Amino acid sequence: MIEMVSKGLATLEVSLKHSGSLFMYAGNEGGAYAKNSFGNIYTAVGVFVLGRMFHEAWGSKAGEKQAQFNDFIERNCICISMELVTAVLGDHGQRPREDYAVVTAVTELGNGKPKFYSTPEVIAFCRKWRLPTNHVWLFSTRKSVTSFFAAYDLLCEEGTATSVCRALDEVADISAPGSKDHITVQGEILEGLVARIVSHESSKHMEEVLKDHPPPSADGAGMDLGPSLREICAANRLDEKQQIKALLLKVGSSFCPDHSDWCDSHSRNADRSVLTKFLQAHPADYSTAKLQEMIRLMKEKRFPAAFKCYHNFHKAESMSSDNLFYKMVIHVHSDSGFRRYQKEMRHKPGLWPLYRGFFVDVNLFKANKERAAGIAKSNNDIVGHVNNGSSRSTIDGLANEDANLMIKLKFLTYKLRTFLIRNGLSILFKDGPAAYRAYYLRQMKIWGTSAGKQRELSKMLDEWAVYIRRKCGNRQLSSAIYLSEAEPFLEQYAKRSPENQALIGSAGNLVKTEDFLAVVEGGMDEEGDLATEREEAPASLSPSVKDTIQKTEGLIVFFPGIPGCAKSALCKELLNTPGRLGDDRPVQSLMGDLIKGRYWPKIADECRKKPYSIILADKNAPNEEVWKQIENMCHSTRASAVPVIPDSEGTDSNPFALDALAVFMFRVLQRDNHPGNLDKSSPNVGYVMLMFYHLYDGKSRKYFEDELVERFGSLVKIPLLKPDRSPLPASLISVLEEGLNLYNLHTERHGRWESNKGSYVQEWAKWEKKLRDTLSANAEYLNSIQVPFEFAVQQVSEQLRKIAKGDYTIPSTEKRKLGTVVFAAVDLPAAEIQGLLNKLSGMNSKAEAFLKDKPMDNFLRKAHVTLAHKKSHGVSAVASYGLYLHRQVPVELNALLFTDKMAALQAQLGSIDDEKIVSKNEWPHVTIWTGEGVPPKEANTLPQLLSEGKATVVEINPPLTVSGTVEFY
């Protein structure tokens, strides 16, 4: 990302992440939507807030402008995406002071592939219609980009809206303030930032838009707009329907004349056959063909997604038996679905992107002869586009993959409220304080929270647990109104010390919601029918991350691997060697090939029957769906889970490299009488192995390991190959690549058919024989590169024993040091500084007299020249040195200044890439000694003391030049 910006290829765009819910509006005909739902209280609230903002912006002209706006976006097939921030739909990070929305995206849907407006275009569109915009910053130079990331590192654990916005304003090349000030409408608790790569021309475009489209006036300011959202919800608390009806009536007919999405909710579910009919129908246009292509692929690849169809009552007057209208909701259940789809897009650039919050209007009709002929003619072009990758398909493909790069950066002051307090309530009340402590420690370790903040938060959260359980007893505090209790607690806690205030960020001025909270029926979450994202509500306690695993709890050892990875042999060794895990709990092994029926529910049953045992789950656990089941087992039985994986370098698209795959295949073909019939007598061993290998397709090794650590808090690796092995022979590479290519051809045409079916039966038979011959010819090599099995068993046993005892350190899934940065400095070699002092002592009597009784060996273990300090100089000052991080800079030491209380070397900093490094300190220096009770920062006063005759100076002539590196501390 930084390299792209520094080369002038891109710009980094950063915007605020408001604490709200996704709301989409496509006009009254187009509909209003939450992330994966419509026709409920969430969308009714969204429509009301949007309508109210029109009144605030346009005043007496609001009705006229609302009608024009609806007409405009419906004619142009435009969808507006917003962050809906309100106090009536349940607590999030902080209760907003006002109910509002901020436009985050504008999309044109009518001409082929959806076209997203650039941010400058969004701002121009919003200012034309007087819609609220977000605060956006642009960073178009290497210096500004590195300063941004450094600023986040400095602020991620204590940042609030004021400090974050101020810092970004100082380091950004362009700052475009939002029309809604976060501090005024939301408060100081800032959820996070969203950073993404945009075109390098975006900066110029942004400057033009800000010049040509000044912020609009608010004609409705001060007008009586009638009851507010909160007042309407408070006055209509009978049920959800009553609140929806009241909200829509107050919106008015000019903005929302048709209430059918809400009124007909009980009868809108369509027959499941609609999806089949849609996929079988002849596409009437290019967009339909591309949507069919997308859905077919997702179904064939078994993506974790649902395709829900509903009757579209907006079109009720046009409906007939030959002309049917539906709304289709594409609901992706897991983030893994998006990652897998992106990989498919790399192989098939013509695929349309998959979005979170995907709604499709479907019209199934029988065409007359004339219309059918026209459609058939256009379909000839469509088929070419879809199947042959023609120019149109290329145009609709990803022009630049980097344009989709986006990262979310959240702040600890928000996470402690939402993730540690709110999402921990069920664990605290159901499982008790010890389980809650294990939960929040796991979360902090996953985030890479600094040790100091972990200690502070642990103290605060333990106190919170005692406080809220004492106050609520056994009745769990509702997550919808948890801030009613949490905010007063945090406010009082923050008042105790400045450190506590920094930890909490901001507390107080609580907005009371109990009287106006929206009625949500059916136990839905804040966005309708979503499965909450894992970070926001981790599905499992996964107590494997506890300081020590309790012997009163179970342990599940499972294997995300491939046949031939030695899991069954490992399980046998662990089972037959009592005490190998350093644990007196009973151990049992359940082999998947010997279990009748569904395997993982059987494991769950065993966990409930024997809650204190160690279960070796002897079955491959290759994907997120299985991992989710194991997480749920952990939560329901209070067991821990430990993934055990074969060690391998992996590739960018698979956690297992070809040499590991070759060894696994070789091992399987040595087996006799395998319970699962996967051995040398099986005719399609190669195909089955490739099928398992492809279950991990799309996961890099790093992603694979990080995902397991984040879910379960631990990871055990089975040693597999010797590090000093010779490369994989060309013949093995060739046969494996040939098999992978054949597998891709087979699955693209036949899906999940076995290799003895379909049009590639002969090719499979030839390849299976070639694979066996090639592996046999390389048997000596394949045996020689494997580590001894006894060594592998020993290593796995030791790792499991450490986890059981609590001696295990969780692998970091985040390389960046977050939240611990306090100052920037040039790090100097202490040994060279010590050598200089020894030399100076021999040359100057004053220096010798001063240094002779000083324990410099003990004091001078580290040396640095401070460049900027967060407290003294500000976040942006420290962040500005991010450009030079880890770079070498020459430092000239030319004088020794000292008193009886302290001593320092005067320093003159050199340049990096011909740019002078300037310290924010008035006097750059290296503190080498202070007396007892004297803080090192007092060395800054030495020049003043020298001018007053209270300090001594010894010139260093010629000066000594040492090389240091710019670092953050």
Side-chain angles (χ1 to χ4, degrees):
M1 185 180 285
I2 294 175
E3 288 303 317
M4 290 181 64
V5 174
S6 64
K7 292 176 181 177
L9 301 175
T11 291
L12 180 68
E13 178 187 285
V14 177
S15 57
L16 290 181
K17 175 67 175 75
H18 293 252
S19 296
S21 307
L22 175 63
F23 172 68
M24 295 172 288
Y25 186 72
N28 185 62
E29 284 292 316
Y33 307 91
K35 192 178 291 185
N36 290 292
S37 64
F38 68 100
N40 51 31
I41 187 64
Y42 303 96
T43 52
V45 168
V47 169
F48 178 88
V49 170
L50 183 59
R52 175 59 65 102
M53 290 191 300
F54 263 93
H55 283 282
E56 294 171 351
W58 293 100
S60 59
K61 297 180 181 178
E64 174 189 347
K65 290 296 180 180
Q66 286 173 338
Q68 291 176 5
F69 179 71
N70 267 336
D71 180 63
F72 177 82
I73 64 175
E74 286 168 10
R75 270 191 294 107
N76 293 279
C77 296
I78 289 175
C79 179
I80 316 295
S81 299
M82 288 162 273
E83 194 77 36
L84 175 63
V85 185
T86 173
V88 307
L89 293 177
D91 285 341
H92 208 36
Q94 182 182 33
R95 284 181 189 164
R97 296 168 179 171
E98 300 178 16
D99 302 305
Y100 67 98
V102 170
V103 175
T104 54
V106 178
T107 318
E108 288 184 4
L109 307 168
N111 297 303
K113 178 181 172 182
K115 180 210 167 191
F116 282 87
Y117 284 18
S118 67
T119 299
E121 291 172 334
V122 169
I123 292 175
F125 176 89
C126 288
R127 290 188 173 179
K128 172 186 174 182
W129 291 102
R130 299 187 183 180
L131 296 172
T133 56
N134 203 354
H135 198 150
V136 178
W137 295 267
L138 293 180
F139 304 84
S140 55
T141 64
R142 185 182 183 90
K143 182 174 183 179
S144 64
V145 172
T146 53
S147 295
F148 162 71
F149 284 111
Y152 174 73
D153 287 354
L154 286 154
L155 289 167
C156 66
E157 290 191 343
E158 295 181 354
T160 58
T162 295
S163 59
V164 171
C165 292
R166 182 192 301 125
L168 296 196
D169 283 342
E170 291 173 355
V171 301
D173 297 306
I174 296 177
S175 175
S179 51
K180 294 288 185 181
D181 179 70
H182 192 285
I183 299 163
T184 303
V185 295
Q186 169 80 68
E188 282 287 358
I189 300 304
L190 177 60
E191 178 172 340
L193 301 168
V194 177
R196 66 187 186 117
I197 285 289
V198 296
S199 164
H200 190 64
E201 297 297 317
S202 188
S203 296
K204 181 180 178 182
H205 192 185
M206 180 69 81
E207 289 175 341
E208 293 172 352
V209 165
L210 296 178
K211 179 182 177 182
D212 297 339
H213 299 81
S217 59
D219 296 348
M223 290 179 59
D224 181 8
L225 302 179
S228 69
L229 171 65
R230 301 180 188 191
E231 289 169 340
I232 294 172
C233 287
N236 296 272
R237 294 188 56 77
L238 180 62
D239 58 26
E240 181 179 352
K241 282 185 179 180
Q242 183 192 46
Q243 286 186 333
I244 290 173
K245 182 178 180 181
L247 288 170
L248 296 179
L249 287 174
K250 290 296 181 182
V251 169
S253 59
S254 60
F255 194 56
C256 189
D258 187 340
H259 300 176
S260 57
D261 273 351
W262 292 273
C263 297
D264 298 306
S265 58
H266 288 291
S267 60
R268 68 185 183 202
N269 285 37
D271 189 273
R272 291 189 177 186
S273 64
V274 171
L275 180 63
T276 303
K277 293 174 182 176
F278 171 72
L279 294 177
Q280 292 174 345
H282 294 290
D285 54 29
Y286 183 69
S287 298
T288 304
K290 299 305 291 183
L291 286 165
Q292 288 175 321
E293 180 186 24
M294 170 194 290
I295 295 170
R296 284 193 190 102
L297 182 139
M298 294 175 68
K299 289 183 69 65
E300 287 171 3
K301 300 287 185 177
R302 295 179 180 267
F303 278 29
F307 305 91
K308 306 174 186 176
C309 294
Y310 305 91
H311 293 289
N312 186 351
F313 292 103
H314 284 291
K315 306 288 187 180
E317 294 181 0
S318 303
M319 284 189 188
S320 68
S321 59
D322 293 339
N323 194 33
L324 302 173
F325 294 87
Y326 303 95
K327 288 179 182 285
M328 182 190 298
V329 182
I330 301 177
H331 184 180
V332 181
H333 295 298
S334 168
D335 284 345
S336 65
F338 292 102
R339 288 190 290 269
R340 288 169 60 189
Y341 192 84
Q342 286 165 1
K343 182 178 183 300
E344 294 292 336
M345 290 178 71
R346 286 193 287 271
H347 295 308
K348 300 177 181 178
L351 278 173
W352 273 13
L354 177 65
Y355 304 107
R356 191 185 296 280
F358 208 141
F359 300 84
V360 183
D361 283 339
V362 177
N363 176 204
L364 294 176
F365 60 90
K366 288 185 178 179
N368 56 35
K369 291 184 178 180
E370 264 183 43
R371 190 173 180 186
I375 292 172
K377 183 177 182 300
S378 63
N379 275 351
N380 292 331
D381 298 328
I382 291 172
V383 171
H385 288 312
V386 174
N387 295 334
N388 302 328
S390 67
S391 58
R392 176 65 181 272
S393 180
T394 305
I395 291 170
D396 279 350
L398 289 176
N400 185 347
E401 201 170 313
D402 296 308
N404 295 286
L405 180 60
M406 178 185 294
I407 54 176
K408 292 182 181 179
L409 305 166
K410 295 192 177 183
F411 292 95
L412 187 60
T413 49
Y414 164 83
K415 292 194 287 188
L416 79 88
R417 288 163 166 80
T418 303
F419 304 142
L420 301 186
I421 293 180
R422 186 191 73 176
N423 293 353
L425 286 173
S426 61
I427 295 170
L428 174 61
F429 281 89
K430 291 178 182 177
D431 301 326
Y436 176 59
R437 181 176 175 82
Y439 162 75
Y440 72 66
L441 286 174
R442 172 181 181 260
Q443 288 298 107
M444 289 191 285
K445 289 176 181 177
I446 289 171
W447 296 333
T449 307
S450 64
K453 278 289 184 278
Q454 286 196 45
R455 287 191 296 271
E456 293 178 36
L457 281 171
S458 295
K459 180 181 177 182
M460 186 270 288
L461 292 169
D462 286 345
E463 191 171 322
W464 157 255
V466 172
Y467 166 82
I468 198 61
R469 279 169 60 88
R470 184 179 296 158
K471 186 163 186 178
C472 295
N474 295 324
R475 181 176 53 84
Q476 180 179 326
L477 176 64
S478 169
S479 61
I481 56 169
Y482 81 99
L483 286 174
S484 295
E485 298 295 344
E487 277 294 328
F489 170 84
L490 294 172
E491 183 179 10
Q492 292 301 315
Y493 194 87
K495 289 178 179 178
R496 297 181 196 172
S497 69
E499 291 77 17
N500 286 3
Q501 182 64 60
L503 180 72
I504 302 305
S506 175
N509 301 316
L510 180 68
V511 176
K512 298 293 184 181
T513 65
E514 285 78 354
D515 294 334
F516 59 73
L517 195 69
V519 179
V520 180
E521 297 180 350
M524 292 189 297
D525 70 3
E526 65 190 30
E527 290 183 345
D529 58 353
L530 278 177
T532 309
E533 292 181 18
R534 183 158 34 84
E535 184 187 34
E536 296 184 1
S540 161
L541 172 60
S542 284
S544 56
V545 196
K546 296 180 180 180
D547 290 340
T548 179
I549 290 180
Q550 301 296 319
K551 298 299 171 60
T552 57
E553 298 175 356
L555 178 65
I556 303 170
V557 179
F558 68 101
F559 299 85
I562 290 177
C565 68
K567 65 182 180 305
S568 296
L570 269 170
C571 289
K572 185 176 180 181
E573 288 294 324
L574 295 172
L575 185 65
N576 294 338
T577 312
R580 186 181 283 279
L581 300 182
D583 199 311
D584 57 1
R585 283 176 292 182
V587 181
Q588 61 175 323
S589 178
L590 297 176
M591 190 176 188
D593 294 314
L594 299 178
I595 299 294
K596 294 182 179 179
R598 298 170 63 196
Y599 180 80
W600 295 108
K602 175 68 174 176
I603 295 292
D605 289 342
E606 290 299 316
C607 286
R608 283 187 282 270
K609 290 177 186 176
K610 302 174 182 177
Y612 312 137
S613 65
I614 297 174
I615 295 178
L616 307 177
D618 184 5
K619 182 178 177 67
N620 288 300
N623 52 36
E624 282 93 339
E625 286 74 14
V626 173
W627 303 345
K628 178 79 171 178
Q629 291 184 59
I630 297 171
E631 284 184 299
N632 291 337
M633 283 182 227
C634 290
H635 188 66
S636 61
T637 65
R638 294 191 64 188
S640 309
V642 180
V644 180
I645 63 172
D647 201 2
S648 173
E649 290 88 349
T651 70
D652 291 338
S653 59
N654 199 294
F656 302 107
L658 288 182
D659 50 8
L661 177 61
V663 167
F664 296 152
M665 288 178 164
F666 179 69
R667 287 176 175 177
V668 168
L669 286 170
Q670 308 304 304
R671 302 195 300 206
D672 287 307
N673 301 317
H674 183 259
N677 297 318
L678 189 63
D679 51 35
K680 65 172 65 173
S681 63
S682 307
N684 61 341
V685 165
Y687 169 79
V688 173
M689 294 296 292
L690 291 176
M691 182 182 67
F692 271 99
Y693 186 72
H694 273 76
L695 291 175
Y696 298 92
D697 206 23
K699 300 182 179 75
S700 68
R701 183 69 186 191
K702 183 179 186 308
Y703 168 80
F704 176 63
E705 293 187 2
D706 287 355
E707 183 76 7
L708 288 168
V709 170
E710 287 193 17
R711 286 175 180 268
F712 302 101
S714 60
L715 189 65
V716 170
K717 295 183 181 180
I718 310 170
L720 178 64
L721 304 177
K722 296 177 180 177
D724 57 348
R725 65 189 181 277
S726 56
L728 197 64
S731 58
L732 280 173
I733 295 175
S734 176
V735 74
L736 291 174
E737 290 181 344
E738 183 181 334
L740 291 169
N741 291 333
L742 181 57
Y743 184 88
N744 288 332
L745 290 172
H746 176 88
T747 53
E748 283 181 11
R749 176 168 294 186
H750 303 299
R752 295 170 64 87
W753 283 13
E754 294 184 6
S755 58
N756 60 358
K757 300 176 182 177
S759 52
Y760 297 101
V761 174
Q762 293 183 0
E763 287 84 351
W764 277 117
K766 292 177 183 177
W767 179 78
E768 292 278 2
K769 183 178 186 307
K770 184 177 180 180
L771 174 67
R772 293 175 187 242
D773 292 343
T774 307
L775 290 172
S776 177
N778 288 278
E780 184 178 350
Y781 167 81
L782 291 169
N783 282 318
S784 69
I785 64 172
Q786 301 179 52
V787 301
F789 178 66
E790 296 75 14
F791 174 76
V793 173
Q794 179 188 359
Q795 291 296 306
V796 171
S797 300
E798 287 181 4
Q799 293 174 74
L800 288 171
R801 188 158 47 244
K802 284 183 178 180
I803 291 172
K805 288 183 177 180
D807 296 333
Y808 178 80
T809 301
I810 296 177
S812 173
T813 60
E814 177 58 78
K815 292 182 179 179
R816 298 170 61 83
K817 284 188 175 181
L818 303 178
T820 59
V821 177
V822 176
F823 65 95
V826 178
D827 186 39
L828 299 174
E832 291 190 38
I833 304 298
Q834 183 68 62
L836 167 65
L837 294 175
N838 293 337
K839 184 177 180 181
L840 190 62
S841 181
M843 296 171 57
N844 186 284
S845 58
K846 291 181 182 179
E848 181 182 16
F850 173 76
L851 293 168
K852 66 179 180 180
D853 60 344
K854 304 292 187 298
M856 300 306 295
D857 289 342
N858 292 331
F859 192 87
L860 195 60
R861 293 179 178 176
K862 293 183 179 180
H864 67 264
V865 180
T866 299
L867 297 172
H869 195 285
K870 181 165 68 172
K871 191 171 183 179
S872 304
H873 306 105
V875 169
S876 59
V878 178
S880 66
Y881 295 100
L883 176 64
Y884 310 109
L885 199 59
H886 311 314
R887 299 285 302 278
Q888 288 197 334
V889 58
V891 179
E892 184 181 277
L893 305 172
N894 52 34
L896 170 67
L897 280 70
F898 60 87
T899 69
D900 60 344
K901 295 182 179 179
M902 55 194 158
L905 293 167
Q906 183 170 279
Q908 185 171 340
L909 300 169
S911 301
I912 298 177
D913 296 336
D914 297 325
E915 186 164 344
K916 180 76 173 175
I917 303 300
V918 179
S919 172
K920 297 296 188 288
N921 274 341
E922 291 185 14
W923 184 57
H925 63 278
V926 183
T927 303
I928 61 169
W929 174 81
T930 59
E932 187 174 349
V934 180
K937 68 177 182 179
E938 287 298 311
N940 283 296
T941 64
L942 280 169
Q944 178 64 31
L945 293 174
L946 180 64
S947 67
E948 297 171 358
K950 298 178 182 178
T952 303
V953 62
V954 175
E955 301 290 338
I956 302 174
N957 195 7
L960 173 69
T961 299
V962 297
S963 181
T965 57
V966 177
E967 303 292 348
F968 285 157
Y969 292 89

